[in-house]
Amino acid sequence: MRAVVFDGSRTEVVGDLAVREPGPGEVLVAIAAAGLCHSDLSVVDGTIPFPVPVVLGHEGAGIVEAVGAGVGHVAPGDHVALSTLANCGTCPDCDRGRPTMCRRAIGRPGTPFRRDTGPVHQFAASSAFAERTVVKAVQAVRIPPDIPLTSAALLGCAVLTGVGAVLNRARVEHGDTVVVIGTGGIGLNVLQGSRLAGAAAVVAVDANPAKEAAARRFGATEFLTSAEGVRDLLPTGADHVFECVGRVELIERAVGLLDRHGQAVLLGVPPAGAEASFPVSTLYLDKSILGCRYGSARPQRDIARYADLYRQGRLLLDELVTAVYPLEAFPKAATDTQEGRVARAVLTF
């Protein structure tokens, strides 16, 4: 079958990948569509260290082909969106409703794929850039069949991460002020999460002025091409600043834009080992710097919730898909994503 494989030096679309059958508690999914996230490209450029060879992709949707023993919540023929969270479901963190903190779901890449050259790793427990993939049952979330799979694919990463960061991690309240630095796929979902939460002012910051229309569509009340102008709009600072780019200088700027009791939420992924600095005294007025893994999501609950909001017309999905490419056009999709020409590219099979 076809897939996008990174071997440590080059990325190519191959046609000789095989995937094993699902075991107990697993699901085999035929991928219909998969979003291209910057995290996939971060594996290629080394920002995210990962064992190779690896099948890329982690934001997918498709149709269940087979289930292993003990799986009852999905069946062959069901439409599903995939979560990357292969949590165990039994540890103290899972039991407390914090599956993103499950230690069994972090840093344990499997090798369900194989080529003639040997086993191939699975990225983010999903590898959605393959015609078929095997995931843990907890990762397959059933969705209504009337949601286009090209849109549903984005539920599993961009939406979970961005909207979840607002509603689950920062817990933005009605009337709060929000600044969003970076309006790519994650940033747009932070914007619409802020809109859903009822934020009074939502300032989008992106160096590309062409992104203003989309930012306002998703919930921005103001748009700036530089964070320099934020204080003109919010003289005392913001209640919440979300950094969605992953650049150290922007992380430091996010902390500096906080009002008293404000929160800086870090969503962008800088290079491993990157360090940021700021005057410690600036935090004494109850300011916080929050990391956020995967929108602090509970995917079985949250994906179903976001799918329902989409069907109500309250959550935008179709508008996130700014370009659709066949799998073979992965190189162009990657270039367009890196150069900021698309908010979210979607690969189809």
Side-chain angles (χ1 to χ4, degrees), residues 123-175:
F123 178 55
S126 53
S127 286
F129 294 166
E131 291 185 281
R132 290 173 182 80
T133 191
V134 169
V135 298
K136 290 183 66 172
V138 71
Q139 297 176 251
V141 184
R142 188 169 56 188
I143 57 174
D146 59 348
I147 300 180
L149 290 172
T150 49
S151 298
L154 306 187
L155 288 168
C157 179
V159 176
L160 269 186
T161 301
V163 177
V166 174
L167 302 183
N168 300 331
R169 185 65 169 127
R171 301 195 176 186
V172 173
E173 296 183 353
H174 183 84

Side-chain angles (χ1 to χ4, degrees), residues 79-94:
H79 287 211
V80 293
L82 298 185
S83 154
T84 68
L85 204 57
N87 60 294
C88 72
T90 58
C91 69
D93 283 307
C94 286

Side-chain angles (χ1 to χ4, degrees), residues 42-83:
S42 293
V43 174
V44 176
D45 67 20
T47 300
I48 297 178
F50 205 87
V52 294
V54 57
V55 178
L56 298 176
H58 65 283
E59 186 180 62
I63 299 173
V64 175
E65 280 201 348
V67 300
V71 177
H73 74 291
V74 294
D78 284 346
H79 287 211
V80 293
L82 298 185
S83 154

Side-chain angles (χ1 to χ4, degrees), residues 4-347:
V4 177
V5 175
F6 174 58
D7 66 5
S9 59
R10 63 192 297 257
T11 305
E12 63 177 332
V13 179
V14 304
D16 62 347
L17 190 75
V19 64
R20 63 172 173 78
E21 292 297 312
E26 294 181 332
V27 177
L28 175 67
V29 179
I31 300 295
L36 174 55
C37 175
H38 280 281
S39 294
D40 299 302
L41 302 178
S42 293
V43 174
V44 176
D45 67 20
T47 300
I48 297 178
F50 205 87
V52 294
V54 57
V55 178
L56 298 176
H58 65 283
E59 186 180 62
I63 299 173
V64 175
E65 280 201 348
V67 300
V71 177
H73 74 291
V74 294
D78 284 346
H79 287 211
V80 293
L82 298 185
S83 154
T84 68
L85 204 57
N87 60 294
C88 72
T90 58
C91 69
D93 283 307
C94 286
D95 193 49
R96 294 171 185 151
R98 302 187 305 208
T100 57
M101 296 297 103
C102 175
R103 285 171 171 79
R104 298 185 191 178
I106 301 174
R108 298 189 179 190
T111 53
F113 305 104
R114 190 168 189 87
R115 298 179 71 191
D116 290 340
T117 52
V120 181
H121 290 89
Q122 185 174 45
F123 178 55
S126 53
S127 286
F129 294 166
E131 291 185 281
R132 290 173 182 80
T133 191
V134 169
V135 298
K136 290 183 66 172
V138 71
Q139 297 176 251
V141 184
R142 188 169 56 188
I143 57 174
D146 59 348
I147 300 180
L149 290 172
T150 49
S151 298
L154 306 187
L155 288 168
C157 179
V159 176
L160 269 186
T161 301
V163 177
V166 174
L167 302 183
N168 300 331
R169 185 65 169 127
R171 301 195 176 186
V172 173
E173 296 183 353
H174 183 84
D176 283 355
T177 56
V178 174
V179 174
V180 181
I181 301 175
T183 60
I186 301 300
L188 289 177
N189 279 288
V190 174
L191 291 172
Q192 73 169 332
S194 302
R195 169 176 52 79
L196 289 167
V202 183
V203 181
V205 180
D206 198 294
N208 185 353
K211 294 185 176 182
E212 179 173 1
R216 291 187 180 276
R217 177 83 181 270
F218 276 77
T221 58
E222 303 289 345
F223 183 89
L224 300 171
T225 55
S226 169
E228 297 291 339
V230 170
R231 288 286 182 174
D232 294 330
L233 299 173
L234 303 173
T236 62
D239 295 314
H240 311 274
V241 181
F242 295 84
E243 201 282 339
C244 306
V245 180
R247 288 171 49 186
V248 168
E249 65 270 26
L250 295 179
I251 291 171
E252 294 171 346
R253 176 56 60 87
V255 175
L257 291 174
L258 295 175
D259 197 355
R260 298 181 178 190
H261 207 271
Q263 300 179 130
V265 183
L266 311 185
L267 297 177
V269 181
E275 297 182 358
S277 63
F278 46 85
V280 175
S281 61
T282 63
L283 299 182
Y284 289 148
L285 292 172
D286 286 359
K287 298 179 184 181
S288 303
I289 301 172
L290 305 180
C292 182
R293 180 172 189 246
Y294 205 40
S296 301
R298 294 165 63 181
Q300 289 287 338
R301 176 199 69 173
D302 291 349
I303 287 178
R305 177 187 183 189
Y306 300 151
D308 188 50
L309 288 171
Y310 166 79
R311 298 176 83 200
Q312 295 174 26
R314 298 175 58 198
L315 184 136
L316 303 180
L317 277 182
D318 303 336
E319 295 82 356
L320 277 171
V321 183
T322 48
V324 177
Y325 306 78
L327 183 65
E328 286 73 16
F330 171 80
K332 176 170 173 49
T335 298
D336 289 348
T337 299
Q338 288 173 317
E339 296 181 358
R341 288 196 287 268
V342 296
R344 210 51 152 203
V346 173
L347 301 174

